[in-house]
Amino acid sequence: MNLALFDFDGTLTNKDMFTRFILFSATPARLVLGSLFLSPLYLLYKIGIIPARKLRPLVSYCAFVGRNQQQVEGLGFKYAQEVIPRYLRPEMLAILKRHQAEGTRCIVVSASLDLYLKPWCQSMGLGLICSEMASNSSRYSGYYVAGDCSCQAKANKITQRFKLADYSSIFAYGDTKEDLAMLALADKAYMRGVELKK
């Protein structure tokens, strides 16, 4: 069996779905307070001082701390059904479906959130490794279960989940430097659709 690893935002989609979900799911009050608190950090991110992997957990905390788990999961399901399909890259969807038709085990590996990736991947028949929101009983704590799933964390989680030697060929698809550690695991790695030479 072969293994295919897909980044999500910017690879399978043509837009950043994390930010869109924050805007889709956050209450107006949280959007206002979050904007006031995070604006300086967002500016530092835009000029390259703070990496996205540091900013995402802070944004998620502001958006989801104390929120009702069932309610947010409902929003995630709706987002997966109604919003994500509008932003999928047709050419990448064709590659994904070709891998599936060939019997390849296909896994989305993303820094995006399980809140919407889990229902979307289930509907597509895909495995999932991603950033996961932690909950205390029926409410979200605002924290991630095991940190932001990007950069080296992607590769670590892949090797923890799969014995790579069991696969005949490993394919990986990404679009930013956050995917490089994952791409390094593959026999055939593609950055923005271009194969990287080993």
Side-chain angles (χ1 to χ4, degrees):
M1 181 183 287
N2 296 332
L3 179 67
L5 308 166
F6 293 86
D7 170 57
F8 187 69
D9 293 70
T11 299
L12 287 174
T13 68
N14 54 31
K15 298 292 182 181
D16 168 26
M17 303 310 294
F18 172 86
T19 302
R20 278 172 171 73
F21 182 67
I22 298 300
L23 297 174
F24 179 85
S25 61
T27 63
R30 285 176 187 261
L31 286 175
V32 171
L33 293 173
S35 296
L36 291 173
F37 174 68
L38 295 172
S39 289
L41 297 178
Y42 181 74
L43 179 61
L44 293 175
Y45 158 70
K46 291 299 287 184
I47 61 177
I49 295 176
I50 293 179
R53 68 179 184 274
K54 299 291 185 182
L55 186 59
R56 278 188 298 260
L58 296 174
V59 172
S60 297
Y61 182 88
C62 290
F64 302 115
V65 61
R67 297 278 301 275
N68 179 275
Q69 184 176 356
Q70 188 174 3
Q71 181 186 49
V72 174
E73 285 181 350
L75 291 169
F77 183 81
K78 183 177 182 181
Y79 187 78
Q81 280 193 318
E82 299 178 9
V83 180
I84 289 176
R86 302 204 303 261
Y87 294 96
L88 294 172
R89 291 182 182 274
E91 70 279 13
M92 287 305 301
L93 198 57
I95 291 171
L96 171 61
K97 290 185 175 180
R98 188 190 73 220
H99 276 302
Q100 288 181 311
E102 293 170 349
T104 300
R105 188 169 192 178
C106 296
I107 312 295
V108 169
V109 186
S110 176
S112 263
L113 299 174
D114 61 326
L115 303 177
Y116 50 91
L117 281 181
K118 186 176 178 180
W120 184 76
C121 285
Q122 287 175 340
S123 72
M124 296 290 292
L126 303 170
L128 176 63
I129 296 173
C130 68
S131 300
E132 300 176 58
M133 294 302 301
S135 61
N136 298 324
S137 62
S138 63
R139 295 192 176 273
Y140 286 104
S141 67
Y143 297 103
Y144 285 1
V145 172
D148 185 74
C149 184
S150 62
C151 302
Q152 188 59 43
K154 284 193 173 188
N156 293 344
K157 291 184 179 186
I158 291 165
T159 55
Q160 288 165 11
R161 177 88 61 92
F162 303 105
K163 186 178 179 182
L164 300 185
D166 289 345
Y167 295 91
S168 301
S169 294
I170 299 172
F171 302 84
Y173 302 86
D175 75 308
T176 70
K177 62 183 180 180
E178 289 192 351
D179 301 315
L180 290 175
M182 176 180 76
L183 297 180
L185 300 176
D187 302 305
K188 291 189 176 182
Y190 299 85
M191 176 67 82
R192 301 186 195 95
V194 178
E195 185 174 359
L196 301 180
K197 300 302 180 183
K198 293 287 184 177

